[in-house]
Amino acid sequence: MVECTIPKDDGSLVSYVGFRVQHDNARGPMKGGIRYHHEVDPDEVNALAQLMTWKTAVADIPYGGAKGGIGCNPGALSKSELERLTRVFTQKIHDLIGIHTDVPAPDMGTNAQTMAWILDEYSKFHGHSPAVVTGKPIDLGGSVGREAATGRGVVFATEALLAEYGKSIEGLTFVIQGFGNVGSWAAKLIHERGGKIIAISDISGAIKNPNGIDIPELLKYRESNGTLLNFSGGVAMDPKELLVHECDVLIPCALGGVLNKENAPSVKAKFIVEAANHPTDPEADEILSKKGIIILPDIYANAGGVTVSYFEWVQNIQGFMWDEEKVNSELKKYMTRAFHNIKGMCKTHDCDLRMGAFTLGVNRVARATVLRGWEA
């Protein structure tokens, strides 16, 4: 934990608490986002750092888990205040992070610009080091395809899951909760593949259309109006009803804990793809499993983002950038292979996909730990 004191634009001094949690580095440098959020809870950040350890292991990329953040409300700070805060935070943690130690990335409330400031401040101490953060602007060594990576990974994961049941995206119905970075990319790519998105929601509300929502039109509408409401290609619906709407595939892309014991008994989807982090609480997990609903767990389903972050890091270290076609085809390879590895675990241990994914992740970390001679 570090204290970051900065002058605000009006000259008054203000202090924020920042921290970085490093969970495990048996398989490689630690990796995880930095969030700027008014309620950055240390327990949650600990949990998310641990989740990153299992997520990178499941995706089979050579990283361990970390997470960090600053307790602040980024919306209430000016751009220059955010820059000063980011630079002071970087000065305080520059000896904890590093290309082969711990590589931060954007998370809630942070973006490519935040990463650019961290890179610049870190480089003042250590020389030009583009690989110290990922999710950078392309002009500073960011990778093409990183912006869409989590959403695209969700789609590759969904395709791998459906193929197992002899189905494909084309012709199935989808409900998507959340239309931020992940939700909008997933929606766009599902729509392109002939999937029918019959309901979608964001912070402004929810809309439905039984014949399928025209996603490119919706994206244009939201771009100019800042909301989904009153879009002509759909009718408004209660956002609470969205999660229990009749559909083939439900994709929660927003906050954690949205599926709980209250609404789980009413869920009608056949498949749930967890694009958000822990959208299903443990009680709901049990209810949904008993109903025979197949859940694709978050530590696999949303690993596309960290996988392309790994590609960005690799490109920076080599000093050689890939084109988007290579990024996307490598991502598909990693996501598909990880799914088959999880399936293998499920067959061996006769368990569901979440248990299979955790077993795979924990196993890989345990093997690396033992091989290093770290076992207690």
Side-chain angles (χ1 to χ4, degrees):
M1 277 175 70
V2 295
E3 191 173 17
C4 303
T5 306
I6 59 156
K8 289 189 70 171
D9 292 342
D10 64 10
S12 62
L13 287 180
V14 59
S15 267
Y16 299 97
V17 176
F19 43 88
R20 186 74 179 160
V21 174
Q22 298 178 328
H23 175 251
D24 188 275
N25 60 358
R27 297 180 65 258
M30 291 162 290
K31 188 94 191 72
I34 289 182
R35 50 176 59 181
Y36 288 2
H37 195 257
H38 57 89
E39 43 194 49
V40 173
D41 168 34
D43 290 335
E44 190 187 12
V45 177
N46 274 325
L48 290 168
Q50 186 178 151
L51 217 51
M52 285 301 295
T53 298
W54 315 130
K55 186 181 294 189
T56 50
V58 167
D60 205 17
I61 52 183
Y63 287 142
K67 205 80 176 181
I70 300 178
C72 68
N73 178 1
L77 295 170
S78 69
K79 190 172 179 185
S80 59
E81 286 166 343
L82 282 170
E83 176 172 357
R84 287 196 290 277
L85 179 56
T86 303
R87 289 182 184 278
V88 169
F89 183 51
T90 307
Q91 286 166 16
K92 304 264 181 173
I93 64 163
H94 77 88
D95 52 352
L96 301 176
I97 64 175
I99 298 171
H100 298 292
T101 317
D102 180 2
V103 181
D107 199 316
M108 282 161 57
T110 55
N111 56 24
Q113 178 60 71
T114 320
M115 298 305 107
W117 293 326
I118 295 176
L119 163 64
D120 183 69
E121 198 60 34
Y122 181 87
S123 297
K124 290 176 186 176
F125 295 91
H126 301 274
H128 183 56
S129 318
V132 75
V133 286
T134 57
K136 298 182 295 294
I138 288 175
D139 295 329
L140 285 176
S143 176
V144 289
R146 174 68 190 83
E147 195 59 36
T150 310
R152 193 177 292 274
V154 165
V155 174
F156 289 150
T158 305
E159 286 180 320
L161 174 67
L162 293 173
E164 193 72 21
Y165 292 86
K167 300 178 192 295
S168 69
I169 286 176
E170 192 174 353
L172 293 188
T173 56
F174 293 80
V175 167
I176 297 180
Q177 184 199 35
F179 203 55
N181 173 283
V182 182
S184 58
W185 276 105
K188 181 171 145 59
L189 296 165
I190 286 167
H191 185 265
E192 282 170 13
R193 285 163 169 74
K196 207 154 97 170
I197 295 160
I198 54 170
I200 199 155
S201 70
D202 73 353
I203 204 124
S204 68
I207 58 166
K208 63 180 174 183
N209 181 340
N211 301 316
I213 295 164
D214 184 336
I215 299 298
E217 282 305 312
L218 182 62
L219 283 161
K220 272 187 228 153
Y221 179 84
R222 207 224 2 212
E223 186 61 39
S224 49
N225 298 283
T227 175
L228 304 182
L229 297 182
N230 302 323
F231 173 63
S232 58
V235 294
M237 69 185 287
D238 178 357
K240 287 193 185 66
E241 206 267 307
L242 183 100
L243 293 166
V244 298
H245 199 63
E246 189 92 38
C247 64
D248 295 312
V249 186
L250 170 64
I251 311 183
C253 303
L255 292 167
V258 294
L259 291 166
N260 49 45
K261 65 173 187 288
E262 273 72 53
N263 59 12
S266 316
V267 170
K268 299 176 192 67
K270 298 174 189 72
F271 300 94
I272 296 173
V273 177
E274 296 189 330
N277 280 322
H278 57 87
T280 316
D281 76 13
E283 292 161 321
D285 215 10
E286 209 170 306
I287 297 167
L288 295 165
S289 295
K290 283 204 179 93
K291 291 179 65 166
I293 297 172
I294 310 293
I295 302 176
L296 197 58
D298 54 357
I299 60 165
Y300 163 67
N302 65 28
V306 71
T307 303
V308 177
S309 270
Y310 163 60
F311 299 162
E312 180 178 333
W313 180 78
V314 165
Q315 292 169 78
N316 294 153
I317 287 173
Q318 291 187 334
F320 179 81
M321 304 308 283
W322 304 349
D323 60 23
E324 190 164 358
E325 196 183 349
K326 172 153 168 99
V327 171
N328 292 342
S329 73
E330 286 290 322
L331 174 59
K332 182 167 190 173
K333 194 156 79 186
Y334 271 76
M335 291 302 290
T336 310
R337 189 170 57 200
F339 181 78
H340 293 298
N341 290 340
I342 293 169
K343 256 338 243 191
M345 275 289 178
C346 295
K347 289 196 174 81
T348 308
H349 298 286
D350 186 28
C351 61
D352 65 8
L353 290 163
R354 189 184 311 280
M355 190 57 82
F358 271 106
T359 309
L360 177 65
V362 174
N363 246 310
R364 281 180 172 156
V365 175
R367 282 205 301 273
T369 305
V370 170
L371 287 167
R372 279 173 171 258
W374 288 358
E375 73 270 36

